[in-house]
Amino acid sequence: MSDQDTTHDAPSHDIGTGKGEEKSQNEGKEAGREDTGTSGAGRPQGKSTARDSTGINPESENPIDPASPRLPPS
């Protein structure tokens, strides 16, 4: 048998590593994401711009007509 790398009472995660939802609460939304309100069920709704997919010249990647939906690349 080899020596164990840890003990049975060691923490199961790195102390100080936050959850993903905590990051958005502390630092705000990611660039390219916008809130649009809530749905009938009270869930938050939003939309994204081209900045959500790319940081390189995102203005040219948005739809020409602002009323058109944005279809992100697959």
Side-chain angles (χ1 to χ4, degrees), residues 8-67:
H8 69 283
D9 58 347
S12 61
H13 69 283
D14 291 335
I15 296 173
T17 302
K19 300 177 194 170
E21 61 268 19
E22 291 172 346
K23 182 172 175 105
S24 66
Q25 290 170 352
N26 295 337
E27 298 179 15
K29 294 212 170 286
E30 296 178 68
R33 297 185 182 219
E34 303 171 3
D35 287 331
T36 59
T38 56
S39 68
R43 295 185 182 132
Q45 290 183 323
K47 64 179 186 174
S48 64
T49 65
R51 178 60 182 90
D52 186 37
S53 301
T54 183
I56 302 170
N57 199 14
E59 304 82 29
S60 67
E61 301 298 326
N62 282 323
I64 295 171
D65 181 4

